[in-house]
Amino acid sequence: MTDTTPHARPVPAAAGTTLPRTATARPSAGRRYRRAVAVLTLVVAAWTVVWAVVTPMFRSPDEQNHVNSVLRIAYGGGWPPPGDAYFAPVIADAVDEAAYPADLPGRWRHREDARQFVDVVPVPREDRTLVDAGNAVGDASSGTEVDQMTQHPPLYYALGAGVLHATGLTDARWDQVTLALRLLDALLLALVVPLAAESARRATGSPSAGLVAGAFPLLLPQLGHVMGAVNNDALVVLACAAATYLAVRVVTGDLRWRVAVAIGVVLGLGMLTKVMLAFAVPTVVAAYALARGRRWPGRLGRLAAAGGMTLVVGGWWWVRNVVTLGAVQPVGRPRELTILATVPDADVPSIIAGRLAQSFFGNLSWLEVHLAGAWVVWGTVALAAAGLVALVLPGARRTAVVVLLLPAALALGVAYNAWDFHAETGRLVAIQGRYVFGGVAALATAVAIAGWQLARRSDRRLARGVPVVVTLALAAAVGGLWWAFGAFYRGPGETSGDAVERWLAWSPLPEPALLGVLAVAAAVLLTGLVVGLAWPRRLAASSIDPAPGTPSPAVPGAPKDAR
C-alpha cells in the first residue's frame, strides 16, 4: 500500500561534503513483499478451511445458534427481540444427526456414563435433513428452545444469509449450509493477514516485520478452530484488525480526515456485529493522543469525527438498547445457575487467568478438549515477553502502546465481566479466550515490532529470522490440526486409519472432494514454506541496508515514532 503521509525532508549537505551511502529500495522489493503477503494470506485461508472440514458439526461454541440465526434471516424471519427467537425445527433435527451432545475421544476427562461420539453411527449424507421454508424458522409453537443470539446485532447473520442466497444453498442439507458458512469465516480470517502485515510494516518500515505478523495467526490452534466454525466472532476479528491498521496509520502520522472517517465506519460496522468493538475505542483514542504532526485541536477534531461516524453507522444500536431495553446487551436466555459450581473468592483470579489463557491457545469443541498446559504456559510467557520488548526497547514504542491496548482491553473486559457475575452469583461464566481474538492483528503487530527491535531495527537482520518464524508457524499449524483430528475422531486403542474412516463418514463432503481440499491446502502450505525460506535471499536481491553509522532512509511506511 502506498504511504501518502508527508515525511520530513532531509537537510541538504554542506558544499563539498560526501554523502554517506544510504539504502535504496529497488522497484521489485515492494512487489516481492506483496506477493509474500498474498501467499501468507492464502496459507491462513487454506489452514482455516482444513479446520472447517475437520471439526465435527456443531463442535464449536454456539455454532448451531449461529447457523439458526443465519437461516432465520435467509428465510425472512427477521430479528426478534432477545428472548423471542427460537431454534428452527431443522436445527433441532440437525443437532440430533450431528450426535450432539456426545463426548469426544479427546475430552479432558473421560466419562463412563456419557454417550461417546466414536460409538455413534453417522447418518448417511443422502439421508440428512434438508432445509426448506417449512423448517427453517422457529417460533413459540415449534417446541424448540430459545436462541439467545438476537442479543447481538444482525450484521454477521445478514452477511451469512446473503452468502447462502448467492450460492444457492438456502435449501441444501443442513451440513452443507454449515460448511458454506464455515468457509465464509475462513475468508474473513484470511483478510486479517494483510491488515496485520501492513500494520507491522507501517510501524517499523520493515517488510520482514510484515511477514512475521502475517504468519502469527498460524501459531494459535484455537483461532483456527473457532474461525473454521460458524461464529460471529469472525467479523469481529476482521473489524478489529481493520481498526488496528487504521490506528497504526494515525499514530505514525497519518492524520487525514479520510482516515478518521474510515475508523468510524469500521468501528460502526463492527458494532453492528458485537459489542466487542467498543474495546477498540481506547486504541483509537491513544493513537490520536500519541500521534505527532498536528496540534491538539486538530487531533481532537478528527477523533470527534471518528466517534460521530461510529455512532451513526452502528453505535446507535447499543444506545437504542439502553433506551428501550434498559441494558447495553440484554440477556437472551437466563443462565441455569444450578448446573454451575460455586467458586471460592480466593480462587477467582487464578481461575480467570488460567481459563482465559487455556481457551485462547487451545480449548476445542465446547471447551472440553484441552491443549497441553505446557504449551499454554510457554505461549503465554512468549506473548508477554514480546509485548514487554515492544514497549521497552526504542523503535516503535508509541505504536506498541496503541496496539497492545486492544488485546489488553478485551482480556480485562472478559475478566471484569466474569468477576462481576461471580460477585452476584458465586459462579464463574463466559471466560473464553476467543473473546480476545479481536486483538490478533494487534498482537501480531506487537510481536513483529519486538522482533524488529531485537534485530536492532534492521530489516536485513530480521529477514534472516523470517524462515524460522514461518517454519515454526507452519509446524504449529499442522501440529494443531493433527492434535485436533485425533481428539475428534480417534477412539481409545484405535489407529489413525480408524479415525480417517470415521471422519469420512461424518463429513458433509464426499471422499474425492475432501482429498482435493487436503491436496490444495498442502500445496498452499508448502508454497508458504518455500516463500518463507527464500525471503532473505529475495530481500537481499532487491534492497540493501544503510552503511554502519548512517541514518535510516525515509522509506514509505517508516514510523514517525521511531526513537
Side-chain angles (χ1 to χ4, degrees):
M1 299 182 70
T2 301
D3 179 14
T4 58
T5 305
H7 292 276
R9 296 181 181 275
V11 178
T17 302
T18 302
L19 292 175
R21 183 175 65 93
T22 58
T24 58
R26 298 176 185 173
S28 60
R31 288 196 298 270
R32 288 176 175 176
Y33 165 70
R34 289 190 291 272
R35 289 170 184 168
V37 171
V39 170
L40 286 179
T41 301
L42 291 176
V43 167
V44 171
W47 173 64
T48 318
V49 167
V50 176
W51 273 104
V53 299
V54 164
T55 303
M57 292 293 154
F58 303 151
R59 292 294 176 161
S60 181
D62 300 323
E63 185 170 36
Q64 55 261 52
N65 303 61
H66 296 299
V67 176
N68 182 68
S69 293
V70 170
L71 289 177
R72 184 189 307 110
I73 290 184
Y75 277 87
W79 203 246
D84 291 346
Y86 290 82
F87 280 101
V90 68
I91 296 298
D93 292 340
V95 168
D96 288 340
E97 293 177 8
Y100 180 82
D103 283 2
L104 295 172
R107 193 180 190 278
W108 70 283
R109 184 177 64 189
H110 180 69
R111 299 186 298 184
E112 295 287 349
D113 57 341
R115 181 171 68 154
Q116 300 299 307
F117 183 70
V118 295
D119 294 333
V120 180
V121 177
V123 175
R125 276 184 286 273
E126 62 272 15
D127 294 337
R128 294 170 193 174
T129 304
L130 292 168
V131 180
D132 59 41
N135 63 16
V137 180
D139 56 32
S141 64
S142 301
T144 54
E145 296 181 354
V146 169
D147 175 7
Q148 78 271 24
M149 286 301 132
T150 54
Q151 65 185 339
H152 301 302
L155 180 60
Y156 169 81
Y157 306 100
L159 177 62
V163 168
L164 294 184
H165 281 293
T167 56
L169 291 173
T170 51
D171 55 357
R173 298 193 320 260
W174 65 266
D175 57 337
Q176 293 172 317
V177 167
T178 303
L179 180 58
L181 296 175
R182 286 182 171 188
L183 297 181
L184 166 64
D185 285 13
L187 172 62
L188 296 178
L189 177 61
L191 295 177
V192 170
V193 174
L195 291 167
E198 275 301 289
S199 297
R201 188 199 65 84
R202 171 85 187 187
T204 62
S206 165
S208 300
L211 299 189
V212 170
F216 178 79
L218 300 170
L219 296 169
L220 306 175
Q222 185 74 8
L223 179 67
H225 173 59
V226 172
M227 298 296 104
V230 186
N231 199 304
N232 62 359
D233 287 335
L235 193 52
V236 172
V237 171
L238 177 58
C240 283
T244 297
Y245 167 67
L246 292 169
V248 170
R249 291 201 69 91
V250 169
V251 76
T252 53
D254 193 346
L255 298 175
R256 292 174 297 173
W257 285 103
R258 69 179 70 176
V259 175
V261 172
I263 289 173
V265 171
V266 166
L267 292 181
L269 290 175
M271 287 186 180
L272 286 179
T273 303
K274 212 167 184 178
V275 75
M276 291 296 181
L277 264 293
F279 292 94
V281 172
T283 288
V284 174
V285 173
Y288 278 102
L290 295 176
R292 292 183 182 274
R294 193 169 293 275
R295 295 180 182 274
W296 271 105
R299 282 185 275 172
L300 291 176
R302 286 155 177 76
L303 182 59
M309 185 60 68
T310 300
L311 184 63
V312 169
V313 175
W316 61 267
W317 178 277
W318 306 100
V319 175
R320 185 213 62 164
N321 279 357
V322 173
V323 172
T324 62
L325 303 174
V328 174
Q329 180 169 296
V331 177
R333 185 175 61 193
R335 295 185 182 275
E336 185 63 52
L337 296 180
T338 57
I339 64 174
L340 300 173
T342 58
V343 177
D345 293 349
D347 295 341
V348 171
S350 61
I351 290 177
I352 290 178
R355 287 186 186 176
L356 195 58
Q358 178 76 55
S359 57
F360 180 83
F361 286 99
N363 263 16
L364 307 186
S365 191
W366 288 68
L367 309 183
E368 75 269 23
V369 177
H370 298 175
L371 184 67
W375 290 107
V376 175
V377 171
W378 283 111
T380 303
V381 170
L383 275 184
L388 186 61
V389 168
L391 291 171
V392 171
L393 295 186
R397 285 181 290 197
R398 291 171 181 264
T399 305
V401 169
V402 168
V403 298
L404 286 172
L405 274 175
L406 178 52
L410 288 166
L412 289 173
V414 173
Y416 173 80
N417 182 61
W419 203 305
D420 186 58
F421 190 83
H422 178 270
E424 295 180 5
T425 66
R427 277 88 168 173
L428 283 173
V429 297
I431 308 171
Q432 296 193 38
R434 65 186 174 97
Y435 296 145
V436 187
F437 285 158
V440 162
L443 288 170
T445 302
V447 168
I449 289 173
W452 175 70
Q453 291 164 332
L454 292 173
R456 291 184 287 175
R457 290 175 279 172
S458 166
D459 189 39
R460 176 174 287 182
R461 290 192 187 95
L462 182 58
R464 296 174 191 145
V466 168
V468 177
V469 171
V470 172
T471 301
L472 288 177
L474 288 170
V478 174
L481 280 166
W482 182 248
W483 159 63
F485 181 79
F488 291 150
Y489 297 106
R490 187 168 55 243
E494 292 186 336
T495 66
S496 296
D498 297 326
V500 169
E501 289 183 6
R502 183 171 292 113
W503 172 50
L504 294 173
W506 280 106
S507 176
L509 295 177
E511 183 174 343
L514 279 176
L515 294 178
V517 168
L518 292 182
V520 171
V524 171
L525 266 63
L526 182 59
T527 302
L529 178 62
V530 171
V531 168
L533 294 176
W535 177 250
R537 176 175 53 81
R538 292 181 177 178
L539 182 68
S542 59
S543 63
I544 56 174
D545 272 346
T550 60
S552 297
V555 297
K560 286 192 176 268
D561 66 336
R563 58 185 55 82

